[in-house]
Amino acid sequence: MSLRWKIFSVYFVILIVSLASTGIYLFNNIYESYLNNERVTNLTQANMIANLVSNFIGVSSYLIEPTIVDYSKQINSRVLFTDVNGKVVVDSAGNGELEGKDINSYSDVRAALKGSGSTSIHYISGSGWTMYAAVPVTAKNDIVGSILLSTSIDDVMGFLNTIKMQMIYTFTAIGSIVSILSLIVADFITKPLKRLTDATKVISEGKFDYKVNIKGSDEIGKLAESFNEMGTKLMKIDDERKRFVSDASHELKTPLAAIKALVEPLISNENIDISLYKEFLRDINDEVDRMTRLVNELLVLARMDKINSIKNKTENISEIAYNVIENLEAIAKNKGVSLVFDSDEKIFADVDADRFYRMIYNVVENGIKYTPEGGSVTLKLSCDDKNVYIKIADTGIGISQETLPKVFERFSRGDTARSQKTGGFGLGLAIVKEIVDLHKGHIDVKSTVGKGTEFDITIPVKNI
Ligand code: ADP
């Protein structure tokens, strides 16, 4: 069932239940109050007759019948006077049909003869709705008989029936109007959701720039806003992915073209000197190494995208950093660059050891790569309760202000010619940035051309 119909059904059920219970309650109250009124009136009349009759008993009994008949005409009710056994003594009806008959079977008469007033309502075919009201007749504190009043309440019942029908019509009209309104409301609520569902389909087809036009500060408005933001982010990710694939293919094409250029003359020229062969093969070997390095770095980046694979453990990061220095020592020495390591012996943090190693390795290796002979690269570690701070500073060539904001982008190289020479692909710092992000850390770079570069990395100590 669609959400629209669910909302409508809930509204509808609540509506029917509340209207029906209100209607029944109201009608019962009106019904009871009208009939109570009738009961009181009839009992009062019956009591008045009973008083008159009791005054006549034993004194002027012959006045009983004419008084009852007269009174019955005045109040437009049939009046029966029974003796203490329930036998009718006087029946005000023209033919006096019940006179001499025992009506002790009438519950109201029975109750009256026991001393209490009683009323009941009956539907009598031919006469319609009738109310019986019976009261005792007493003489010298003894019950000597009863008065039974039989009054038509057809008009009251008819009036109550009219009220009932009016209430049914009114409540049905209210119910129908509210049902239509609830359908409109359900439509109003679900329409934006339908538009969002349609938009999801459009986005899933790859049209990330599609925007849903739903305004408002309610939950659905906010959902639409987040949805549009998601589209923008997806578009950015998609653009980055496309750029990455095109850059990666371009980078792979370069060494392949170089290898082809080296292999072709070897195939076509027959009399080539063996030393030239060897030289060409060495060049081909270099290009293959370069390609292997590129593929490895691309693999590292691809794995990095699987964020869930991060395996943080509490590690002695000063030890990991020291391992980096040890492993790069030889390269630095070859270049005539000195490596300085400054750290407490034991600094612990929750990190993925392999990735943390690579993060420091890449930055320090860059430092060595871009620092001329005689310069230095310093790796300094410190910490407080919350973070560890890693500073990697070199006295190298520096990075220009135009390149600086882009150094963490994939395939970004400060000076292509220079990087080609030094063998970089512009992926090293992109990997570093990804690792810092995976550790919920932060990286900053400051640099002055000709003087040197400083990278500042902050990683939270607790990160599991
Ligand atoms: P690459 O493999 O080209 O070194 P990176 O992502 O590691 O790629 O670096 C991107 C660019 O940033 C480099 O090409 C270089 O121009 C510049 N760079 C990075 N580190 C340094 C540094 N310590 N000194 C000067 N330039 C640097």
Side-chain angles (χ1 to χ4, degrees):
M1 204 199 311
S2 73
L3 184 60
R4 178 174 177 248
W5 285 109
K6 272 187 193 155
I7 294 175
F8 172 72
S9 315
V10 171
Y11 263 117
F12 191 73
V13 170
I14 294 174
L15 183 74
I16 294 295
V17 171
S18 50
L19 279 183
S21 46
T22 316
I24 291 170
Y25 176 77
L26 271 181
F27 182 73
N28 275 348
N29 270 359
I30 295 170
Y31 182 88
E32 279 307 315
S33 101
Y34 268 87
L35 288 184
N36 271 345
N37 219 5
E38 281 299 308
R39 278 188 196 107
V40 171
T41 312
N42 285 339
L43 282 173
T44 312
Q45 313 264 29
N47 271 322
M48 281 168 78
I49 301 171
N51 281 342
L52 283 175
V53 171
S54 94
N55 285 338
F56 294 144
I57 286 175
V59 187
S60 37
S61 302
Y62 61 94
L63 284 175
I64 292 176
E65 185 167 355
T67 307
I68 286 177
V69 172
D70 194 37
Y71 210 99
S72 120
K73 279 187 191 137
Q74 279 177 39
I75 60 171
N76 207 14
S77 300
R78 184 175 180 180
V79 182
L80 300 173
F81 170 46
T82 73
D83 64 11
V84 74
N85 298 316
K87 199 168 107 189
V88 178
V89 181
V90 179
D91 178 0
S92 73
N95 49 12
E97 62 171 313
L98 287 178
E99 270 170 25
K101 297 214 170 110
D102 184 357
I103 57 165
N104 208 8
S105 57
Y106 288 29
S107 62
D108 298 311
V109 173
R110 270 202 318 274
L113 292 175
K114 279 184 190 146
S116 46
S118 163
T119 60
S120 59
I121 293 167
H122 306 270
Y123 185 79
I124 300 165
S125 61
S127 313
W129 287 101
T130 307
M131 180 178 277
Y132 290 169
V135 292
V137 177
T138 51
K140 292 185 192 134
N141 288 335
D142 284 331
I143 296 170
V144 292
S146 72
I147 290 291
L148 175 68
L149 220 68
S150 165
T151 315
S152 165
I153 52 164
D154 250 356
D155 51 345
V156 177
M157 292 308 256
F159 176 67
L160 286 174
N161 202 39
T162 313
I163 289 185
K164 185 161 91 186
M165 291 322 285
Q166 271 176 1
M167 280 177 83
I168 290 175
Y169 293 146
T170 313
F171 280 42
T172 309
I174 294 176
S176 312
I177 292 169
V178 177
S179 297
I180 293 169
L181 283 179
S182 71
L183 250 185
I184 295 171
V185 170
D187 234 27
F188 180 75
I189 294 173
T190 53
K191 243 195 193 125
L193 289 176
K194 187 168 178 318
R195 269 163 59 203
L196 270 171
T197 316
D198 293 344
T200 322
K201 280 189 200 126
V202 177
I203 294 254
S204 69
E205 279 158 15
K207 291 179 195 134
F208 300 127
D209 56 343
Y210 183 81
K211 297 270 175 287
V212 272
N213 185 17
I214 300 170
K215 302 263 177 288
S217 56
D218 59 3
E219 283 82 352
I220 294 179
K222 286 196 184 118
L223 179 64
E225 205 177 294
S226 311
F227 184 87
N228 287 340
E229 271 168 28
M230 181 192 75
T232 312
K233 278 187 193 145
L234 279 176
M235 195 161 71
K236 207 168 146 238
I237 292 170
D238 193 51
D239 285 350
E240 272 172 18
R241 186 183 55 84
K242 283 184 190 143
R243 195 158 56 86
F244 179 67
V245 171
S246 103
D247 287 349
S249 335
H250 179 77
E251 288 297 331
L252 283 168
K253 249 167 66 187
T254 315
L256 282 175
I259 291 170
K260 194 159 173 59
L262 289 165
V263 171
E264 267 174 0
L266 295 184
I267 297 169
S268 50
N269 296 329
E270 276 169 18
N271 303 320
I272 297 179
D273 191 54
I274 185 82
S275 63
L276 199 63
Y277 250 112
K278 282 203 165 168
E279 193 190 321
F280 274 31
L281 283 175
R282 258 195 304 275
D283 288 347
I284 290 170
N285 194 36
D286 285 349
E287 290 300 333
V288 170
D289 284 348
R290 197 176 140 72
M291 252 174 85
T292 311
R293 263 197 346 259
L294 173 61
V295 169
N296 280 339
E297 287 192 13
L298 287 176
L299 278 176
V300 171
L301 268 175
R303 278 193 211 114
M304 207 76 72
D305 287 341
K306 292 188 209 151
I307 290 179
N308 291 337
S309 67
I310 185 157
K311 292 179 215 107
N312 279 0
K313 255 173 45 194
T314 307
E315 305 273 3
N316 182 349
I317 58 161
S318 34
E319 208 173 283
I320 301 175
Y322 184 69
N323 285 343
V324 175
I325 297 293
E326 261 189 341
N327 291 338
L328 285 170
E329 192 73 67
I331 299 172
K333 209 168 177 187
N334 256 344
K335 243 198 117 180
V337 172
S338 58
L339 281 185
V340 182
F341 182 56
D342 174 6
S343 166
D344 286 344
E345 245 180 54
K346 283 179 183 164
I347 296 180
F348 287 94
D350 301 335
V351 297
D352 182 319
D354 291 346
R355 284 175 171 146
F356 189 81
Y357 175 91
R358 179 166 272 276
M359 176 184 84
I360 298 187
Y361 187 98
N362 281 7
V363 185
V364 176
E365 191 195 28
N366 271 353
I368 300 168
K369 207 156 61 174
Y370 298 110
T371 300
E373 197 178 343
S376 69
V377 177
T378 308
L379 168 60
K380 187 172 176 341
L381 259 66
S382 58
C383 73
D384 58 24
D385 292 349
K386 285 190 181 149
N387 300 306
V388 292
Y389 305 97
I390 304 142
K391 190 187 286 291
I392 299 143
D394 64 54
T395 58
I397 57 172
I399 306 170
S400 69
Q401 289 308 305
E402 303 90 73
T403 313
L404 208 54
K406 291 186 256 163
V407 283
F408 297 114
E409 286 175 19
R410 293 172 180 189
F411 297 106
S412 112
R413 281 174 291 208
D415 170 352
T416 313
R418 186 186 68 202
S419 285
Q420 292 285 19
K421 210 168 70 203
T422 44
F425 300 105
L427 291 174
L429 287 180
I431 293 173
V432 169
K433 173 85 171 80
E434 298 254 358
I435 298 173
V436 171
D437 287 347
L438 278 180
H439 286 87
K440 301 188 184 80
H442 181 75
I443 183 164
D444 258 340
V445 55
K446 293 187 272 250
S447 187
T448 312
V449 174
K451 283 201 167 162
T453 307
E454 182 183 305
F455 288 88
D456 286 291
I457 302 172
T458 307
I459 301 260
V461 175
K462 290 268 161 253
N463 206 352
I464 295 185

